[in-house]
Amino acid sequence: MARRRHPHPIEHSILITATLCLLAAGAVMVFSASSARSVLSGQGDGTSFMVKYVIYGGIGFVLMHVIARRGLDLVLKATLPLLAFSFVCLVLVKMPGFGVSVNGARRWLGAGPLVFQPSELMKLSLVLYAAKLLAERPKVLAHPRNLMPLLLVAGGAVLLIASQPDLGTSLVICFTMASMLVAAGMPIRWLATATGGGSVLILLYAMSASYRRDRLMTFLDPWAHAGDEGFQAVQGQIALGSGGLFGRGLGNSQQKNLFLPEAHTDFILAIVGEELGVIGICGILFLYGLVAYAGLRVAKNARGTYAKLLAAGVTSLFLSQAMLNVFTVLGLAPLTGVPLPFISYGSTNLIVLLMGMGVLLNVAAGGHVTLRVVPGARNVAGSKRNGSNDPDRRRRDSRARGAGSGGRRRAAG
């Protein structure tokens, strides 16, 4: 008699449903936001960006399916090679003859239509690396200096990305790493200290170049700079305001007709608001809420520390990027150039986020890995809570290890 497969938990179904709904909304809105510009500028019949979105989404969906069905052992083995590849690509971006410059930013590698953005791959690579490091070395949370390996790797990536320049992706990485450290048990007082120091560094970085200073001043009063630096923010607010509660109707946006720059990428939420109104924006936010709810439930119920941190990290990555984009479009944060997850047009971003969703679905389906804890890397706080200072407990543990396989300690990760 064939063995009956265990059904996936409800969180697995919620994640798939929300992802498919976001992809469907993305395809529709990319077509609506880009069609007028393509036709008016003589770049085709208006379907080119939508067709590319569907192709990239199809590639990402296949990768998501493969990652979701394979064991997390494959993800663990690919972590360090993927991280090294991401660093090499980030360095190549800055080298003459390799990087592709668009609108003053040098963020891409490749030629013609075959270009990709290494910083997007780095975001997922750092989530995988942080989960591996924190699961193997729980003692890193015993003292701030033990976090140095993770801080050096993540800090190096942030510096390379910020130099492109790309402050938005750098902020997403910082938010995601902070969320993973909190999920791993980092004291809140450390987070508060790091947040204060990080805020000072971000402010200094923002003031280090004239265009970044102008962007910061524009954020404070975009209408005072509506003809230059504040043009995009003002046009986005006009789009949102003219949509009202129910919107102008799908396809009836006026701001996409060569008024709003980046209408199909960073500011696609403004077109959603203009055409579908507050109801449409609330629908998109509801889908992200489903991803947040299901992702955090998956992290809570995951088998082992490694799987828990993976789920928490990937969920944090989605939410950090979504919130930063929403805040930017609504005028609650300066312009950062971060796309809206699964909705905005962007080949690398879409494929990498779908790969991350594959990892999350893998954990939701019960995927787990057993990691060997680095010798001497036991969590001090956890040891005290478990009563390891009790002499009788230590003797019992000693006898148990002596009767086992050579006294080696393993931990489910």
Side-chain angles (χ1 to χ4, degrees), residues 44-278:
D45 59 356
T47 62
S48 57
F49 285 105
M50 187 268 289
V51 170
K52 292 177 183 177
Y53 177 93
V54 172
I55 293 174
Y56 297 138
I59 295 173
F61 194 82
V62 170
L63 292 174
M64 182 189 80
H65 182 73
V66 171
I67 295 173
R69 294 181 64 88
R70 298 293 297 271
L72 286 183
D73 290 319
L74 177 64
V75 176
L76 183 62
K77 291 177 181 178
T79 296
L80 294 182
L82 191 64
L83 183 66
F85 176 75
S86 300
F87 267 111
V88 170
C89 290
L90 285 178
V91 173
L92 289 177
V93 164
K94 303 299 294 182
M95 297 179 63
F98 288 94
V100 177
S101 181
V102 178
N103 295 331
R106 198 179 185 90
R107 305 174 186 174
W108 295 268
L109 284 177
L114 300 178
V115 295
F116 80 101
Q117 192 172 349
S119 60
E120 297 291 343
L121 189 60
M122 177 58 79
K123 291 189 299 188
L124 183 59
S125 301
L126 285 174
V127 169
L128 303 183
Y129 173 73
K132 178 178 182 296
L133 180 69
L134 294 172
E136 288 181 338
R137 300 173 179 268
K139 193 179 178 181
V140 298
L141 296 175
H143 195 279
R145 65 171 177 268
N146 296 335
L147 289 172
M148 194 56 64
L150 179 58
L151 295 179
L152 287 175
V153 173
V158 167
L159 288 176
L160 286 172
I161 294 172
S163 66
Q164 294 180 351
D166 187 356
L167 181 59
T169 302
S170 301
L171 289 175
V172 171
I173 290 175
C174 292
F175 295 153
T176 304
M177 292 296 103
S179 300
M180 294 188 69
L181 288 172
V182 172
M186 185 181 74
I188 298 299
R189 66 180 182 276
W190 294 7
L191 178 63
T193 303
T195 300
S199 300
V200 173
L201 292 176
I202 292 172
L203 182 60
L204 292 175
Y205 175 81
M207 300 299 291
S208 63
S210 59
Y211 80 92
R212 285 194 289 266
R213 290 195 299 270
D214 294 340
R215 182 174 292 183
L216 183 60
M217 298 306 297
T218 298
F219 161 67
L220 299 176
D221 188 5
W223 289 88
H225 308 272
D228 41 62
E229 294 292 337
F231 181 79
Q232 185 170 4
V234 167
Q235 295 301 318
Q237 292 181 20
I238 292 175
L240 290 169
S242 61
L245 182 61
F246 298 104
R248 294 175 177 269
L250 188 63
N252 293 328
S253 167
Q254 298 297 318
Q255 295 304 111
K256 68 184 181 184
N257 298 325
L258 302 180
F259 289 103
L260 178 63
E262 310 299 336
H264 62 298
T265 55
D266 303 342
F267 265 68
I268 197 169
L269 186 67
I271 303 302
V272 174
E274 185 180 7
E275 295 188 351
L276 303 179
V278 175

Side-chain angles (χ1 to χ4, degrees), residues 376-395:
R378 196 163 70 181
N379 192 327
V380 175
S383 298
K384 290 180 180 179
R385 287 194 303 268
N386 293 331
S388 60
N389 291 326
D390 183 0
D392 293 333
R393 189 179 184 92
R394 288 200 300 268
R395 284 196 294 271

